[in-house]
Amino acid sequence: DPYLYTSLKECYVAKGDSAAALQTLQEGLKVFPQDVVVLTELINYYLVKGEGEKALSYLQKAKEQDPGNKSYYFAEGTLYDKMGKVDDAVNAYKKALSIDSTYFDAYFNLGVLYFNNAVKLTEVANNEPDNKKYAEKKKVADDEFLKVAPYMEKAYKMAELIDFEGKT
């Protein structure tokens, strides 16, 4: 049973033995290569460890097995965002939204991503000594800021529909 491997992993984590925890998950994936439980645990392991590239490789396998799982695309977007791969992050978040158009986290993260990118572009523009080039770069930053509003507005409207107990 795949849950035996994930339970054993938890035992090793509780003991502080992350190497044995990882080895257990890898063995579990060899025995149950199509099981999403072990695969998801491996993804989470690498996410917690901050090993984005390894997490991405397992996310790819997970998406192949369950292409309709919005969480995989969301996690991918988060990883790409952390890596500074803005276009890849945007594509992953938008894919999550194509699966579930009511996915608050993806709307919110897209808004944050565009905002943070716009701030960086503004800093680049502000460091430009040439007025003509400054104006061009400032326009690019302003256009990026305009991308924020639709996603944050959607997230805000969705948040209004949810009370504090998580009920709609």
Side-chain angles (χ1 to χ4, degrees):
D1 186 295
Y3 289 101
L4 292 174
Y5 288 92
T6 59
S7 296
L8 183 56
K9 182 232 32 161
E10 289 299 324
C11 292
Y12 284 126
V13 168
K15 287 177 56 179
D17 192 347
S18 63
L22 175 60
Q23 182 180 3
T24 299
L25 290 175
Q26 289 171 333
E27 288 172 13
L29 190 62
K30 286 178 188 172
V31 175
F32 299 101
Q34 301 302 314
D35 186 77
V36 294
V37 172
V38 175
L39 189 55
T40 300
E41 286 290 325
L42 264 169
I43 293 166
N44 288 332
Y45 175 88
Y46 285 118
L47 288 173
V48 169
K49 290 290 184 182
E51 296 183 43
E53 292 294 335
K54 289 182 181 176
L56 280 171
S57 70
Y58 286 107
L59 272 169
Q60 183 59 39
K61 291 177 185 178
K63 290 186 322 183
E64 289 168 5
Q65 290 181 13
D66 187 5
N69 188 326
K70 67 184 180 188
S71 298
Y72 294 149
Y73 294 95
F74 179 79
E76 183 181 49
T78 303
L79 283 169
Y80 281 134
D81 187 11
K82 287 180 182 178
M83 295 173 165
K85 297 179 178 182
V86 174
D87 292 337
D88 291 332
V90 167
N91 290 335
Y93 288 138
K94 285 185 176 181
K95 178 63 178 177
L97 288 172
S98 75
I99 294 169
D100 180 358
S101 64
T102 64
Y103 195 10
F104 171 86
D105 294 337
Y107 280 111
F108 183 81
N109 276 28
L110 260 171
V112 169
L113 179 100
Y114 282 129
F115 179 83
N116 289 340
N117 198 44
V119 168
K120 290 175 188 173
L121 292 169
T122 301
E123 290 171 2
V124 169
N126 288 341
N127 290 324
E128 179 57 58
D130 181 281
N131 284 338
K132 185 177 179 180
K133 290 180 182 176
Y134 164 79
E136 292 169 359
K137 290 180 180 181
K138 181 73 167 96
K139 168 92 170 86
V140 170
D142 290 345
D143 289 346
E144 191 74 0
F145 273 119
L146 292 174
K147 294 177 184 177
V148 175
Y151 295 102
M152 286 307 206
E153 287 172 358
K154 182 73 172 177
Y156 179 76
K157 286 178 184 173
M158 292 172 69
E160 286 182 323
L161 299 174
I162 302 171
D163 69 21
F164 289 106
E165 295 176 10
K167 298 176 187 170
T168 57

